[in-house]
Amino acid sequence: MILLFPGQGAQKQGMARDLAERFPEAAETLAAIDAALDVKLTRVMWEGSEEELTLTHNAQPAILAHSAAVLAVVREKLAGQVVAAAGHSLGEYSAWVAAGALTPAAAARLVRRRGALMFEAGQARPGAMAAVLGLPTEAVERACAEASAGDAGVAVAANLNAPDQTVISGDASAVERAGEGCKAAGAKRVLPLKVSGAFHSPLMAPAVAGLRDALGATPFGDPAFPVAANATSELVHDRGGAQRLLAEQLTAPVRWVESMRRLAEQWPEARWLELGPGSVLGGLLKRIVPGAECTALGTVADLEGFLGA
C-alpha cells in the first residue's frame, strides 16, 4: 500500500468530529494533539468559524490532526503492508507520522510553527497564488519566467499537481502577469487562490531558518518506509534527509507529478489510500497515473467500509 496525505485547502468545519465520536483511537490522538499545542485545536476544527480555521497556522495542524486520527484507526490493519507514503506540502509531515518518524503531537507542533512562520513571511512580503488549469507545466513555467523578467517581481510554478494543473506563486503583480501569459498560451482557466502568502516560492525564504531550527529541536526518527519528498520527488529513507528537505520545501515547488510517477514505477501493483479530509489527491493520481485507483479514508463511513473489507 502507498499512503497519501492531503495539504492545505482540505480543511472543513467539523472535520474529524465524527471520527472522535466513533473511534476511541481517533479521540485519543486528537486529545494528545490538543494537549501539545498552545490552542485547543479541536475547538477551532469543530466550533470555530471558517475564517479562523482557514488561517494558515490553524489549517495546517488541523489537516494533520485529521490525517493522524484516521491513521490511528487503521494502523493495525495497515501493519506490514505499507511500502511508501507521500503528502502534499504540509501533508508530507503527516506522511512522516505514518512512517513512525514523528509522533502526531510533535508533528502538530511543527506544522503549527511552520504555519506561523509562513504567515509572518506573507505579512512581511505579501504575495499571491493562482491555479492554472488546462495548460502543460512547461508552458506555465515559460509564462512565469517571462513575467519575472527584470525587476518586476517573481512568479514561479509552485505546485506541480497534475500534467495540466499547476499553481503559480510569487509577487502579486508578477503572478497576475504570469496568469495573463498562461491565458494567452491557451490555459482554460486561471483561478486566484485565497492564501496568506506566496507559498513554495522565494518569498517564503524568511521562514526557512525558523523552520530549520524547529525541525532540529524536534525528536525525529528514521522511517519504517520511505517518504517521497515534495522538494525533489526522491524517496527519503533517513531522518537527516527528511529534516533537510522539509526545510527546503518552503521555497521549492511541490513536485507532485514526479513523486506519483516515481512511486507508481517502483510499486506498480500497490494499492493507494488517501488518509485525511477530502479526496483531491486521489483525483490527481488518476490524471497522473492512468488506471491508478485510490481509496479515500476520511469519514466514519469510509473507515467502517475499509475496516470491514
Side-chain angles (χ1 to χ4, degrees), residues 92-116:
E92 191 174 333
Y93 290 78
S94 304
W96 287 109
V97 172
L102 285 171
T103 67
R109 284 193 297 268
L110 266 177
V111 298
R112 184 158 171 83
R113 177 62 176 151
R114 176 182 185 265

Side-chain angles (χ1 to χ4, degrees), residues 93-170:
Y93 290 78
S94 304
W96 287 109
V97 172
L102 285 171
T103 67
R109 284 193 297 268
L110 266 177
V111 298
R112 184 158 171 83
R113 177 62 176 151
R114 176 182 185 265
L117 289 164
M118 293 169 73
F119 181 80
E120 291 165 10
Q123 293 295 296
R125 185 177 172 183
M129 300 180 76
V132 180
L133 309 180
L135 190 67
T137 300
E138 296 78 9
V140 176
E141 291 173 333
R142 284 196 297 272
C144 286
E146 291 168 4
S148 303
D151 299 322
V154 61
V156 297
N159 295 350
L160 315 183
N161 290 335
D164 60 349
Q165 181 184 319
T166 304
V167 174
I168 57 179
S169 179

Side-chain angles (χ1 to χ4, degrees), residues 56 134 146 220:
T56 301
E146 291 168 4
F220 215 112

Side-chain angles (χ1 to χ4, degrees), residues 261-286:
R261 287 175 175 164
R262 181 168 295 196
L263 290 167
E265 287 168 5
Q266 185 141 348
W267 293 284
E269 303 302 321
R271 181 180 181 185
W272 301 76
L273 302 175
E274 181 173 355
L275 280 64
S279 56
V280 168
L281 299 182
L284 293 177
L285 177 66
K286 291 179 181 179

Side-chain angles (χ1 to χ4, degrees), residues 9-100:
Q11 69 276 358
K12 183 180 180 182
Q13 288 171 293
M15 59 193 295
R17 189 168 197 163
D18 62 333
L19 303 182
E21 293 171 348
R22 171 65 178 81
F23 299 107
E25 307 96 322
E28 290 167 11
T29 297
L30 293 168
I33 289 173
D34 270 349
L37 299 180
D38 57 356
V39 64
K40 188 173 182 183
L41 186 63
T42 51
R43 183 203 64 77
V44 177
M45 294 163 65
W46 301 342
E47 301 168 17
S49 66
E50 183 177 354
E51 184 179 9
E52 183 182 17
L53 179 59
T54 302
L55 291 171
T56 301
H57 55 283
N58 289 333
Q60 294 195 14
I63 294 163
L64 181 139
H66 191 146
S67 291
V70 172
L71 187 64
V73 175
V74 301
R75 187 180 290 279
E76 188 174 325
K77 181 158 184 172
L78 297 181
Q81 300 185 67
V82 180
V83 294
H88 193 285
S89 193
L90 85 92
E92 191 174 333
Y93 290 78
S94 304
W96 287 109
V97 172

